[in-house]
């Protein structure tokens, strides 16, 4: 039972039910910083931290939370962890914190955190919930990192701030701007979904 | 009946209240612990910015920075006690090395704060540093990159811009492709700084 | 304080050039989920405009007159979220009592709004950008209108699109994102129109 659940956590969050391409959830807050890989990584680490711990906390309190104010309590818990992330970044990584600006605060409204708290943590023990939170954060992060990789490469000709493409490369400014993220994410979803459909078609025959 | 009322109305409110109290206390504790570090980071950042704008060498060690600031930098205040500009003396303290003014201007997303340093004769720029900005990461945010900041050393007002990668004469600087607004904001800040510093520091010489 | 930015410039910029959905990706979740029909999109759009305008004003007041004087700025996320949630709850209760038809058309969208990132986003941005009270209110109003405009336009396109053949892998979220990308491109065309300086 336990191992089955753990397996489910990994396959659900990393595989075909990954929240980003199955339901396009939670991209709001983080998509905006995917034009530079470094910022994306910091955002993702912050997000994993918050999802993990808020799932854990919600799960610990799941028997006491009155259902009427469930959402408000969850939001409060999430907000507190986000504040902690924000303060820690300000104190120990001031440059990154300055770059991310208000986006750290927007982790609060990331639907995935709330979604995991609602769907998983409210009905599962703390240990599993923590794992589920962390893994769903990871599943989300790898999609965003792929997007950030291509946006930075094509948009600025660099990876992690180092120029990798020569002077012959003309930067696609559109990749760094807003529409680029929409197109990149759409293409990514297309490729993943397309291959999933093919796989299923093959199984049916 | 009254038990029911308590369970449905009073308990949720009490619960919310207690939870809010707990989380606010936790975040407050963390904030208090890191408060000094954050303050210290900010003042260190201002000091580094002043030295950078003055074209002075910035030592790695924080104590060394303090020493230089104490020895070579003089803060000039107006009648009301607000800081107007900083005078940075040459290493042997014989003459003025640079006048540094802290200037704010409207960027695309928010206020851009800069330290702008002029030479002793207020003829050309010693250097500029971006202290704070909220421009789009990867686009306008590139005003914080060192190639952008370094190009200003020795430039003379009035400042105008040329396209990124184009050769620039002594009044011109390279703008950032795709970030016209942020580049214009920098141009405005530099031009008003140069007018202001001539007005306030010019006669004190 | 950002000098020289007038509130009507902020208002129009929030609708067109700096559309919170198309340039900051805020409020994507409900945007993708609810944009299937024009009618529901209009309803949600209206609710968002209203809540955004009022909460940005409320949050500004709370920030300026409670958080800053008490040196509690670091608690702003919690306070903002609580104000937004409380306001939405309050409106829901009032609408439920006052008008059944309004409740039927707007009420169902209100719970969705608390978790709409755009609402919190507006409050956070206005603080970071040092807006004055009036500017904040018009920024909230403008962002709401801009968001509503985008979702209604998207719903219109998606309704037409039910008849077109979309590659299987792209159907649903994929094509919606591509349309959003093209819309963002189109909105970038406005960018020369308004100068915020």
């Amino acid at each position: 039972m336990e191992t089955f659940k753990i397996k489910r956590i990994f396959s659900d969050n990393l595989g075909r039910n990954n929240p980003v391409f199955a339901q396009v959830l939670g991209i709001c807050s983080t998509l905006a910083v995917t034009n530079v890989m470094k910022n994306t990584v910091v955002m993702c680490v912050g997000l994993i931290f918050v999802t993990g711990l808020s799932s854990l906390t919600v799960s610990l309190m799941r028997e006491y939370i009155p259902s009427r104010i469930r959402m408000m309590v969850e939001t409060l818990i999430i907000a507190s962890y986000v504040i902690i992330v924000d303060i820690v970044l300000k104190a120990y990584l001031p440059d990154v914190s300055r770059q991310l600006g208000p986006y750290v605060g927007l982790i609060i409204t990331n639907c995935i955190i709330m979604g995991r708290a609602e769907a998983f943590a409210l009905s599962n023990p703390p240990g599993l919930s923590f794992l589920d939170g962390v893994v769903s954060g990871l599943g989300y992060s790898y999609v965003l990192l792929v997007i950030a990789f291509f946006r930075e490469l094509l948009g600025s000709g660099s990876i992690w701030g180092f120029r990798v493409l020569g002077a012959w490369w003309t930067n696609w400014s559109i990749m760094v701007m807003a529409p680029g993220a929409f197109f990149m994410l759409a293409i990514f979803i297309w490729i993943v979904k397309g291959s999933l459909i093919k796989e299923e078609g093959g199984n049916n025959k | 009946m009254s038990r029911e009322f308590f369970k449905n109305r009073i308990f949720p409110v009490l619960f919310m209240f207690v939870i809010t109290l707990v989380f606010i206390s936790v975040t407050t504790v963390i904030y208090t612990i890191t408060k000094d570090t954050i303050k210290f980071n900010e003042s260190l950042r201002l000091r580094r910015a002043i030295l950078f704008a003055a074209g002075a060498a910035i030592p790695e060690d924080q104590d060394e920075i303090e020493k230089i600031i104490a020895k070579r930098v003089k803060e000039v205040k107006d009648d009301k006690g607000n800081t107007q500009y900083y005078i940075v003396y040459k290493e042997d303290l014989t003459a003025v090395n640079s006048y540094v003014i802290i200037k704010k201007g409207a960027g695309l997303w928010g206020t851009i704060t800069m330290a702008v340093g002029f030479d002793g004769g207020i003829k050309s720029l010693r250097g500029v540093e971006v202290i704070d900005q909220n421009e789009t990461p990867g686009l306008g945010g590139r005003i914080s990159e060192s190639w952008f900041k370094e190009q200003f050393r020795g430039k003379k007002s009035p400042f105008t811009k040329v396209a990124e990668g184009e050769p620039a004469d002594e009044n011109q600087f390279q703008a950032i492709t795709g970030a016209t607004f942020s580049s214009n904001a920098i141009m405005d800040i530099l031009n008003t700084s140069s007018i202001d510093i001539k007005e306030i520091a010019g006669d004190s010489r | 304080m950002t000098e020289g930015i007038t509130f009507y410039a902020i208002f129009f910029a929030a609708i067109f050039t700096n559309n919170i959905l198309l340039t900051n990706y805020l409020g994507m979740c409900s945007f993708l989920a609810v944009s299937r029909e024009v009618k529901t999109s209009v309803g949600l759009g209206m609710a968002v405009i209203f809540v955004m305008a009022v909460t940005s004003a409320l949050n500004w007041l709370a920030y300026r007159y409670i958080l800053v004087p008490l040196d509690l700025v670091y608690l702003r996320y919690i306070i903002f979220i609580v104000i937004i949630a409380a306001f939405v709850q309050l409106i829901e209760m009032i609408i439920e009592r006052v008008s059944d038809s309004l409740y039927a058309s707007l009420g169902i969208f209100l719970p969705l709004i608390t978790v709409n990132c755009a609402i919190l986003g507006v409050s956070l941005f206005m603080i970071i950008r040092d807006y004055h009270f009036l500017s904040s209110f018009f920024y909230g109003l403008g962002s709401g209108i801009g968001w509503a405009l985008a979702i209604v336009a998207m719903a219109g396109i998606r309704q037409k699109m039910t008849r077109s053949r979309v590659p299987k892998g792209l159907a649903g979220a994929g094509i919606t994102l591509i349309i959003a990308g093209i819309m963002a491109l189109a909105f970038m065309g406005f960018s020369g129109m308004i100068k915020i300086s």
Side-chain angles (χ1 to χ4, degrees):
Chain A
M1 183 64 198
E2 201 80 326
T3 45
F4 171 72
K5 268 200 167 164
I6 291 174
K7 257 189 191 162
R8 270 292 296 278
I9 289 174
F10 278 93
S11 68
D12 266 7
N13 290 317
L14 300 178
R16 65 181 54 188
N17 289 329
N18 181 305
V20 179
F21 40 78
Q23 297 140 308
V24 201
L25 274 183
I27 48 171
C28 359
S29 43
T30 323
L31 206 53
V33 294
T34 52
N35 50 11
V36 181
M37 260 189 108
K38 220 183 208 162
N39 295 348
T40 317
V41 170
V42 177
M43 264 308 258
C44 288
V45 171
L47 188 112
I48 293 169
F49 174 83
V50 175
T51 14
L53 287 181
S54 60
S55 279
L56 175 74
T57 317
V58 169
S59 171
L60 281 173
M61 302 198 311
R62 70 186 187 281
E63 271 153 39
Y64 310 104
I65 304 177
S67 63
R68 279 177 75 92
I69 54 164
R70 201 182 64 231
M71 296 274 256
M72 265 174 92
V73 174
E74 284 162 14
T75 317
L76 181 76
I77 294 169
I78 296 167
S80 309
Y81 284 120
V82 171
I83 293 180
I84 294 172
V85 169
D86 190 42
I87 293 173
V88 168
L89 279 182
K90 266 209 184 98
Y92 302 107
L93 292 171
D95 292 322
V96 181
S97 151
R98 202 166 285 106
Q99 289 250 322
L100 292 176
Y103 291 103
V104 177
L106 290 170
I107 294 179
I108 298 172
T109 49
N110 190 311
C111 331
I112 288 185
I113 310 180
M114 193 74 149
R116 290 329 291 174
E118 280 276 297
F120 197 92
L122 275 178
S123 48
N124 282 289
L128 274 182
S129 301
F130 177 71
L131 186 69
D132 177 74
V134 170
V135 174
S136 68
L138 280 175
Y140 171 78
S141 303
Y142 90 81
V143 177
L144 287 171
L145 280 174
V146 170
I147 291 172
F149 176 82
F150 284 107
R151 280 185 80 187
E152 195 180 335
L153 182 69
L154 300 177
S156 320
S158 58
I159 292 169
W160 201 263
F162 296 107
R163 200 163 170 95
V164 286
L165 296 175
W168 51 271
W169 175 258
T170 311
N171 291 343
W172 299 6
S173 294
I174 198 74
M175 270 300 158
V176 193
M177 289 187 246
F182 286 116
F183 293 138
M184 246 1 268
L185 184 61
I187 293 168
F188 190 83
I189 291 176
W190 191 1
I191 293 171
V192 172
K193 266 199 171 170
S195 62
L196 281 180
I197 289 170
K198 234 181 212 163
E199 220 173 81
E200 273 161 21
N203 288 346
N204 288 345
K205 267 172 204 170
Chain B
M1 180 63 202
S2 71
R3 223 190 123 82
E4 198 69 351
F5 181 77
F6 177 81
K7 205 181 152 205
N8 287 337
R9 300 279 163 187
I10 311 285
F11 180 68
V13 175
L14 273 181
F15 186 85
M16 193 67 208
F17 184 74
V18 171
I19 291 283
T20 313
L21 213 64
V22 169
F23 275 98
I24 285 186
S25 332
V26 170
T27 45
T28 306
V29 167
I30 294 181
Y31 173 75
T32 328
I33 295 170
T34 54
K35 202 164 111 189
D36 293 335
T37 323
I38 294 174
K39 273 232 175 77
F40 178 76
N41 282 341
E42 265 156 28
S43 75
L44 185 68
R45 192 170 168 79
L46 179 69
R47 280 152 198 231
R48 279 170 172 275
I50 292 169
L51 292 184
F52 185 89
I58 306 170
E60 276 297 312
D61 188 51
Q62 288 159 3
D63 297 334
E64 290 293 315
I65 293 181
E66 298 288 322
K67 265 186 216 155
I68 296 181
I69 292 281
K71 192 177 142 207
R72 287 173 59 192
V73 179
K74 194 180 136 211
E75 195 175 339
V76 180
K77 291 183 177 168
D78 63 6
D79 307 335
K80 289 173 199 148
N82 299 321
T83 305
Q84 279 191 307
Y85 61 97
Y86 297 88
I87 302 173
V88 182
Y89 293 96
K90 288 208 158 73
E91 216 146 331
D92 51 8
L93 303 180
T94 50
V96 172
N97 177 56
S98 173
Y99 294 99
V100 179
I101 187 166
I102 309 294
K103 200 83 197 156
K104 292 182 181 202
L108 178 63
W109 295 117
T111 311
I112 300 176
T113 311
M114 295 179 76
V116 186
F118 294 86
D119 67 354
I122 316 189
K123 293 220 169 60
S124 63
L125 284 177
R126 277 265 190 250
V128 298
E129 173 70 296
V130 180
I131 301 176
D132 235 330
Q133 50 108 343
N134 298 302
E135 305 306 285
T136 328
L139 277 177
R142 291 173 63 209
I143 56 174
S144 297
E145 286 178 7
S146 77
W147 72 269
F148 185 79
K149 294 184 301 199
E150 288 294 342
Q151 64 169 328
F152 289 101
R153 300 200 193 276
K155 292 281 158 87
K156 288 180 175 147
S157 77
F159 305 100
T160 49
K161 42 174 204 158
V162 294
E164 193 174 332
E166 300 280 311
D169 68 19
E170 60 170 23
N171 297 118
Q172 293 170 323
F173 69 93
Q174 292 183 23
I176 293 169
T177 313
T180 316
F181 199 95
S182 307
S183 306
N184 284 345
I186 299 287
M187 191 166 74
D188 287 346
I189 293 173
L190 293 183
N191 282 328
T192 39
S193 300
S194 116
I195 294 166
D196 285 3
I197 195 83
K198 270 175 196 151
E199 205 171 285
I200 51 178
D203 43 58
S204 71
R205 256 183 314 136
Chain C
M1 296 285 136
T2 24
E3 300 149 75
I5 298 191
T6 41
F7 59 84
Y8 55 85
I10 289 180
F11 176 67
F12 286 108
I15 301 177
F16 295 111
T17 56
N18 300 329
N19 189 298
I20 193 144
L21 182 80
L22 297 172
T23 57
N24 297 91
Y25 320 99
L26 296 179
M28 283 297 290
C29 305
S30 25
F31 177 72
L32 292 170
V34 186
S35 64
R36 285 208 185 83
E37 272 181 65
V38 173
K39 214 178 136 199
T40 43
S41 304
V42 172
L44 182 63
M46 288 298 169
V48 166
I49 293 174
F50 179 66
V51 173
M52 225 180 233
V54 179
T55 54
S56 62
L58 286 178
N59 282 342
W60 191 90
L61 290 174
Y63 182 81
R64 185 75 188 73
Y65 293 106
I66 300 173
L67 295 181
V68 173
L70 295 179
D71 196 19
L72 292 175
V73 173
Y74 65 98
L75 285 179
R76 64 187 181 280
Y77 302 147
I78 289 188
I79 305 293
F80 287 176
I81 274 281
V82 168
I83 289 179
I84 293 168
F87 178 73
V88 170
Q89 287 271 320
L90 189 75
I91 292 303
E92 201 182 345
M93 265 153 45
I94 293 174
I95 293 183
E96 202 178 351
R97 303 260 154 102
V98 174
S99 154
D100 277 345
S101 63
L102 196 64
Y103 186 71
S105 61
L106 272 188
I108 41 166
F109 297 113
L110 286 171
L112 268 178
I113 282 183
T114 324
V115 284
N116 186 329
C117 352
I119 310 266
L120 182 67
V122 163
S123 292
L124 293 180
F125 278 126
M126 80 190 181
I127 298 300
I128 284 228
R129 293 175 201 171
D130 275 338
Y131 287 162
H132 298 272
F133 180 71
L134 259 189
S135 306
S136 297
F137 174 73
F138 278 99
Y139 176 61
L141 187 67
S143 297
I145 295 175
W147 197 89
L149 192 70
I151 193 173
V152 172
M154 174 60 90
I157 296 171
R158 282 183 75 175
Q159 262 187 353
K160 290 263 180 221
M161 230 177 45
T162 47
R163 290 161 191 277
S164 23
R165 284 180 46 191
V166 178
K168 255 192 190 157
L170 206 56
I175 192 74
T176 314
L177 282 170
I178 289 188
I179 297 170
I182 296 171
M183 269 167 69
L185 273 179
F187 270 65
M188 270 168 67
F190 289 118
S191 58
M193 252 172 56
I194 300 152
K195 283 228 162 111
I196 334 175
S197 76

